Amino acid sequence: MSQLFLSLLGFACVAAGTPGPNNIMVMSSGATFGFRRTVPHLLGIALGHGLMVVLIALGLGEVFIRMPALHNVLTVLAAIYMLWLAWKIAHAGAPGQGGNTRPFTFLQAAAFQWVNPKAWVMSLGAATIYGSLGGLLMGAVFVVVDLIAVSIWTALGQTLSHWLGTGPRLRAFNWLMAGLLVASIALVFLER
């Protein structure tokens, strides 16, 4: 059992730490709003994804296996939403420049997990491979690992904010983050 747990821990670290929609968005948020203002976003990701893992381990994933059309609908909705987010990231200004941009709230970040293709792949993979450990334990592992991973990405974004300033570098960074978010969507469709 301890080997299986360590394997889950390794899986969670790799899955949560590699680039994906959550990490790209919190890096951008850290650069734009700073670490402290991004904390609700971080907590929403960790707790929202942890809950997702628990629910999928308890059987929600079976719904998508039995109803593949539902998965297709969710994928299209996710792509549309993520394209909108990419547009918002690309057009975000520097902190204090006014406008109505603000970081994700806890609930927005938690809800985003349900349209995040990477979160679905991570959750379904964990439930399939490590299901014998139990949904609550798997969910707890992902809460902790996700929180560490997105905190690192946010801190990296905040560190970059000093170099980015408010001019062309910030605009280029925002467009790069938006492009990476769009690329993460494209990868989902290419894998189908």
Side-chain angles (χ1 to χ4, degrees), residues 132-149:
S132 63
L133 290 172
L136 290 177
L137 178 60
M138 289 189 307
V141 166
F142 273 98
V143 167
V144 172
V145 171
D146 286 347
L147 190 55
I148 292 168

Side-chain angles (χ1 to χ4, degrees), residues 25 76-92 100-102 104 108 112 115 178 181-182 185:
M25 290 190 326
V76 170
L77 291 175
I80 292 167
Y81 184 63
M82 290 173 69
L83 287 171
W84 177 77
L85 286 174
W87 183 85
K88 292 210 31 116
I89 289 170
H91 293 91
N100 60 3
T101 60
R102 56 186 162 248
F104 259 36
Q108 287 171 324
F112 176 72
V115 295
L181 189 56
V182 170
I185 300 164

Side-chain angles (χ1 to χ4, degrees), residues 36-123:
R36 191 176 61 187
R37 288 190 61 200
T38 305
V39 167
H41 190 165
L42 306 178
L43 294 173
I45 289 170
L47 295 172
H49 185 236
L51 176 62
M52 177 186 228
V53 169
V54 170
L55 293 176
I56 288 175
L58 292 175
L60 182 63
E62 187 67 28
V63 172
F64 289 93
I65 292 169
R66 292 180 191 257
M67 300 174 67
L70 185 58
H71 182 264
N72 294 336
V73 169
L74 181 65
T75 302
V76 170
L77 291 175
I80 292 167
Y81 184 63
M82 290 173 69
L83 287 171
W84 177 77
L85 286 174
W87 183 85
K88 292 210 31 116
I89 289 170
H91 293 91
Q97 277 190 336
N100 60 3
T101 60
R102 56 186 162 248
F104 259 36
T105 66
F106 172 85
L107 290 177
Q108 287 171 324
F112 176 72
Q113 302 319 299
W114 295 94
V115 295
N116 179 350
K118 185 177 177 187
W120 275 101
V121 169
M122 291 165 54
S123 301

Side-chain angles (χ1 to χ4, degrees), residues 2 9 59 102 117 124-125 129 149 153 166:
S2 63
L9 189 58
R102 56 186 162 248
L124 290 168
I129 299 167
W153 282 88
T166 59

